Amino acid sequence: MTYKRSDGREADETRKIRAEVGVVPRADGSALFAFGDTIAIAAVYGPKPLHPQHLQNPEKGLLRCYYDMMSFSVGERKRPGPSRRSSEISFVTTNALMPALQLGNFPGTVVDVCISILQANAGTRCAGINAASMALAHAGISMSDLVTAVSVGQIDGQIAVDLTKEEEDYESGGEKTTDIPISFLPLSGKISLLQLDGGIKAEKLKEAIEIAQKTCSKIYEEQKKALKNIISRKEEKIKE
Amino acid sequence: MEIADLTKKRIIEYLDEKKRFDKRKLLEYRNIKIRFGISKQAEGSASVRIGKTEVVAGVKLDIAEPYTDSPDKGSMMVTTELLPLASEKFEAGPPRINAIELSRIVDRGIRESGFIDFKKLCIKKGEKIWMVFIDIYPLNDDGNLIDTSFLAAVSALRDAFFPKMDEKKEKVEYGKLTEKKLPLKEMPFMLTIHKIGKSIILDPITEEEESSEARVSFAISPEKKEAIINAIQKGGEKELTKKEVFEIIDVAIGEWKRIYPTIVEKITEAEKRPEEKIIQSG
């Protein structure tokens, strides 16, 4: 191994995970998920009636995701409002979450998922998906599974999980880092998000997917713990 | 026109028997036709037909300021307009999510493959660079716009010449081309694989595309005779098992190795177009 991670992490070690539920009391469900310095907040509103009415689907509810970064969350100020990048991420996030949701139970409605990045240091779409799936569960929307995402990468020929911005931009001898955001439905082991940027051989890509799955099962435990916490806190309140 | 559930069911049943409406094999591409220089005012342009699907792409070059994080590199921008001309599914107005996603898939495939040598597009470090605009317009949508658009963009880049530059004003003199081509390396090629029912297919027609549960697009380029995956985008609302993803990766690499040499041959042939581009020198 030639590349040594500057923060001393092992190749299969994520940054410090923070998972909290109920961070936006007004919302029907909400959560915060952080990979170290990357912090995402998600709020869920719905299922609620969809307007205009002609957009309603009598068979199932509609899922709408809005992902964006706060203007001050990155080095150079990001112009507020949606960009092409954020539109695409909103779209792939919708597709990543959809397989876990049982929207057939809510015909004619819409579920809005709003994801905001408070602080960015790579892996924002994955943190956003993790926060969103917890927020959806917190909102009590029927789901078959949670959704857990992580970005895996190939740095200097070696596979590592949860890359930082510095690692994403790392270049050695013309070899750029490959970045692979991926999401799993942890119970079924199915893949609902798969993107890649960089340059990688097929065998290494498969290795990266295997490592991503192992990492996601660890992240899944953190998500569950946070969701269980909020329930036990509620129970305590009722007892009081 | 949305296709009927009945048609979807029939497509899936057919594919289960390894049959397609147009008699192709599951992994067979339709006939590919590439034409260079389809619009004279563009610095580079091309039209690509895959079956009845047709996409035109044009390249325009301009002088711009570099981004602060890459002061010594040129830049590029890919835009797609899904014109109502090409399909009853498209509506007029600013690009919506399908057009944005298509542009970004093409952008990432070209950018990450290193096809354009951006360092050679620097005019004056920190001050002036060449900006490459790649604009994509489908003319007829009969499925597989992603692969067709990508090939059209790559072809238009191969067709492009630098325009003349007014050295004093440091502005482009449009309409006058130099004999200098863009600094390009070996071309990437994009393959999109669709999962319909239990089947995995390439190059869907519209009806098959509308029955598709999930798609995975791969931009692949050669490096020391090996296939390097430069970009991936999974689309579609359905999830895939890990086994399916691995199978799709193998199919992508296998088919790329098979198709790539013939594509390179076709592009090289198209490059020698008879109606020579008007090159005004001096």
Side-chain angles (χ1 to χ4, degrees):
Chain A
M1 177 182 145
T2 46
Y3 182 78
K4 205 155 169 43
R5 305 187 84 166
S6 59
D7 50 10
R9 277 186 288 150
E10 295 292 326
D12 64 347
E13 191 182 342
T14 64
R15 289 170 283 180
K16 192 176 181 321
I17 288 171
R18 205 173 124 203
E20 286 167 32
V21 172
V23 294
V24 184
R26 169 81 195 219
D28 296 312
S30 63
L32 175 150
F33 190 94
F35 285 118
D37 283 344
T38 296
I39 307 170
I41 297 168
V44 170
Y45 289 93
K48 57 186 183 182
L50 174 60
H51 297 292
Q53 240 173 5
H54 67 85
L55 292 177
Q56 291 183 5
N57 184 339
E59 281 181 4
K60 60 175 185 172
L62 178 76
L63 175 66
R64 281 192 303 211
C65 295
Y66 303 97
Y67 159 100
D68 210 352
M69 290 170 136
M70 291 182 184
S71 59
F72 49 77
S73 66
V74 280
E76 198 171 317
R77 177 173 180 261
K78 180 205 162 281
R79 205 159 56 91
S83 61
R84 286 182 3 149
R85 173 181 177 274
S86 71
S87 304
E88 189 213 342
I89 296 178
S90 302
F91 182 63
V92 295
T93 300
T94 310
N95 285 339
L97 296 169
M98 192 80 89
L101 291 170
Q102 297 171 327
L103 291 172
N105 295 329
F106 310 102
T109 67
V110 63
V111 176
D112 279 332
V113 179
C114 308
I115 302 165
S116 265
I117 306 301
L118 185 65
Q119 190 175 291
N121 184 358
T124 61
R125 74 192 68 187
C126 294
I129 288 170
N130 292 339
S133 89
M134 287 159 67
L136 285 162
H138 182 223
I141 293 165
S142 44
M143 293 166 84
S144 57
D145 214 332
L146 277 177
V147 183
T148 304
V150 74
S151 118
V152 274
Q154 176 178 256
I155 318 168
D156 214 359
Q158 192 212 327
I159 304 294
V161 305
D162 186 24
L163 308 186
T164 61
K165 186 82 177 69
E166 184 196 337
E167 289 174 327
E168 262 185 21
D169 297 340
Y170 183 82
E171 218 173 305
S172 102
E175 285 278 318
K176 280 198 289 186
T177 295
T178 302
D179 178 31
I180 313 159
I182 179 165
S183 80
F184 282 89
L185 281 76
L187 287 178
S188 69
K190 287 185 178 172
I191 294 167
S192 62
L193 170 89
L194 179 63
Q195 292 183 294
L196 181 147
D197 282 316
I200 193 168
K201 285 178 195 156
E203 291 316 307
K204 275 283 182 187
L205 171 59
K206 289 182 186 171
E207 185 190 327
I209 293 172
E210 296 284 3
I211 293 171
Q213 189 175 22
K214 281 194 195 120
T215 309
C216 280
S217 63
K218 287 181 206 159
I219 297 169
Y220 175 54
E221 294 304 320
E222 301 285 339
Q223 288 176 302
K224 274 197 299 191
K225 208 178 1 172
L227 284 162
K228 280 181 183 162
N229 268 344
I230 193 105
I231 293 167
S232 55
R233 252 190 281 158
K234 266 190 192 149
E235 280 171 351
E236 274 167 30
K237 265 195 185 162
I238 292 165
K239 272 182 212 159
E240 279 168 20
Chain B
M1 184 187 70
E2 291 281 315
I3 65 162
D5 285 348
L6 218 56
T7 316
K8 286 186 191 174
K9 202 171 149 243
R10 194 78 191 99
I11 285 175
I12 293 171
E13 286 168 1
Y14 247 57
L15 289 176
D16 283 346
E17 298 166 27
K18 309 235 174 292
K19 286 195 290 195
R20 290 172 86 165
F21 282 1
D22 53 10
K23 296 185 178 164
R24 275 184 293 154
K25 291 184 195 120
L26 300 197
L27 298 179
E28 191 180 335
Y29 250 79
R30 288 169 291 179
N31 194 18
I32 300 176
K33 275 188 192 153
I34 307 168
R35 234 162 20 106
F36 274 41
I38 49 105
S39 182
K40 269 189 187 170
Q41 291 286 359
E43 275 78 79
S45 62
S47 136
V48 171
R49 276 192 203 191
I50 302 188
K52 276 188 251 166
T53 295
E54 182 173 8
V55 174
V56 296
V59 168
K60 292 297 286 179
L61 288 161
D62 201 357
I63 297 166
E65 269 183 39
Y67 289 112
T68 44
D69 59 352
S70 52
D72 59 341
K73 281 180 186 166
S75 190
M76 72 165 197
M77 194 169 154
V78 181
T79 310
T80 311
E81 277 191 71
L82 299 178
L83 302 176
L85 168 120
S87 167
E88 76 289 344
K89 285 182 296 187
F90 302 154
E91 284 173 43
R96 285 161 218 218
I97 183 59
N98 288 334
I100 294 171
E101 195 203 16
L102 178 55
S103 308
R104 286 184 57 87
I105 295 174
V106 173
D107 182 305
R108 298 210 321 258
I110 292 175
R111 196 183 294 273
E112 298 296 329
S113 68
F115 182 46
I116 304 176
D117 190 346
F118 287 113
K119 283 214 164 136
K120 289 189 181 150
L121 292 180
C122 177
I123 302 167
K124 204 170 175 191
K125 192 178 169 181
E127 285 179 30
K128 282 194 162 50
I129 53 131
W130 284 107
M131 178 82 176
V132 183
F133 294 94
I134 306 168
D135 295 316
I136 297 168
Y137 293 90
L139 288 188
N140 188 64
D141 177 17
D142 190 30
N144 202 10
L145 274 186
I146 298 177
D147 297 1
T148 318
S149 301
F150 192 82
L151 190 53
V154 167
S155 304
L157 286 168
R158 290 263 303 236
D159 185 52
F161 289 90
F162 279 98
K164 284 199 83 175
M165 192 167 83
D166 185 326
E167 300 284 348
K168 272 188 207 148
K169 290 186 197 152
E170 293 191 317
K171 272 195 174 158
V172 177
E173 287 185 65
Y174 287 111
K176 291 181 182 173
L177 294 178
T178 65
E179 286 181 44
K180 203 174 144 206
K181 288 217 142 197
L182 283 184
L184 301 176
K185 296 178 183 168
E186 277 192 281
M187 60 172 268
F189 180 65
M190 181 161 284
L191 278 162
T192 301
I193 291 160
H194 287 259
K195 189 197 164 216
I196 306 174
K198 288 187 289 260
S199 310
I200 281 175
I201 70 157
L202 271 179
D203 189 28
I205 53 169
T206 305
E207 286 84 352
E208 290 168 334
E209 206 161 58
E210 294 204 0
S211 316
S212 171
E213 294 157 30
R215 63 166 151 80
V216 189
S217 302
F218 292 82
I220 306 176
S221 66
E223 196 184 291
K224 290 169 198 148
K225 289 192 179 166
E226 277 201 84
I228 301 291
I229 305 167
N230 296 116
I232 293 181
Q233 176 91 335
K234 181 197 163 293
E237 285 184 6
K238 287 271 173 68
E239 70 277 31
L240 294 165
T241 65
K242 194 167 66 181
K243 196 170 157 247
E244 283 164 345
V245 170
F246 282 13
E247 187 190 341
I248 286 172
I249 294 170
D250 291 338
V251 168
I253 297 288
E255 290 306 302
W256 182 86
K257 283 184 181 158
R258 216 171 53 76
I259 300 170
Y260 187 74
T262 61
I263 298 291
V264 172
E265 210 173 282
K266 276 194 179 173
I267 281 211
T268 314
E269 194 53 43
E271 221 164 11
K272 302 179 210 149
R273 63 202 154 95
E275 66 274 31
E276 248 331 299
K277 198 159 189 168
I278 307 151
I279 297 167
Q280 300 178 349
S281 50

